[in-house]
């Protein structure tokens, strides 16, 4: 079971030197702190806005919510998206490319049978 960590909102104001420019890698910005502080290291995806007056705003982007598979086979899975659509995902390595048509048909058939059986067990009608 995953443990969730509750943190309280805490703001830290730092003085430093912000260099905004293009690096060799094509990335922007560099911040050098002028104070002695101890902070927890954080790696995150965020939105950065650098305003004309020199202010910079960092906003952390929300974590991506992945759909959990309803049904699984060796190389495929069936999920129900948040948009109400079913998604069938099939992944196969290049070394098995010759067997792709048979494996795709077999696993799609197996997942469709499991799906129909689950719907019948739940008391829902399935149109054939």
């Amino acid at each position: 079971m995953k443990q969730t960590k509750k943190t309280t909102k805490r703001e830290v104001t730092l003085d430093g030197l912000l260099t905004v420019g293009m690096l060799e890698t094509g990335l922007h910005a560099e911040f050098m702190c002028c104070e002695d502080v101890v902070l927890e290291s954080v790696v995150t995806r965020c939105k950065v806005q650098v305003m004309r007056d020199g202010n910079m705003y960092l906003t952390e982007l929300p974590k991506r919510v992945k759909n959990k598979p309803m049904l699984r086979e060796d190389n495929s899975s069936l999920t129900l998206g948040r948009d109400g659509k079913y998604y069938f995902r099939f992944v196969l390595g290049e070394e098995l490319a010759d067997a792709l048509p048979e494996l795709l048909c077999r696993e799609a058939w197996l997942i469709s049978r499991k799906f129909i059986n689950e719907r019948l067990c739940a008391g829902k009608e399935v149109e054939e």
Side-chain angles (χ1 to χ4, degrees):
M1 178 181 265
K2 271 189 174 179
Q3 292 181 350
T4 56
K5 195 175 187 182
K6 237 183 186 180
T7 58
T8 57
K9 184 177 177 181
R10 199 176 94 201
E11 288 187 14
V12 177
T13 303
L14 301 171
D15 289 327
L17 175 66
L18 175 65
T19 306
V20 179
M22 176 109 26
L23 302 175
E24 293 173 3
T25 59
L27 303 176
H28 292 82
E30 185 176 302
F31 180 77
M32 302 286 276
C33 187
C34 296
E35 300 177 20
D36 291 330
V37 292
V38 177
L39 296 174
E40 184 179 325
S41 177
V42 176
V43 176
T44 186
R45 292 174 46 94
C46 62
K47 173 184 165 187
V48 179
Q49 289 179 292
V50 179
M51 309 308 266
R52 291 181 188 168
D53 61 359
N55 290 333
M56 185 170 90
Y57 301 99
L58 294 167
T59 308
E60 185 175 1
L61 296 174
K63 302 286 185 237
R64 177 178 170 226
V65 179
K66 294 183 179 180
N67 296 327
K68 292 192 169 118
M70 297 169 48
L71 302 169
R72 292 192 119 153
E73 277 302 316
D74 294 338
N75 302 305
S76 59
S77 64
L78 181 73
T79 60
L80 177 61
R82 289 186 303 263
D83 57 0
K85 296 180 182 175
Y86 289 99
Y87 291 91
F88 178 78
R89 179 177 167 90
F90 182 79
V91 179
L92 191 66
E94 189 177 359
E95 64 278 357
L96 297 173
D98 294 335
L100 187 137
E102 294 87 20
L103 287 173
L104 179 59
C105 291
R106 180 181 160 276
E107 292 196 11
W109 184 83
L110 288 171
I111 284 186
S112 67
R113 294 277 66 173
K114 287 181 183 179
F115 181 77
I116 289 170
N117 289 338
E118 279 192 10
R119 301 277 291 208
L120 289 174
C121 291
K124 298 179 182 175
E125 290 184 23
V126 177
E127 295 179 16
E128 298 222 11

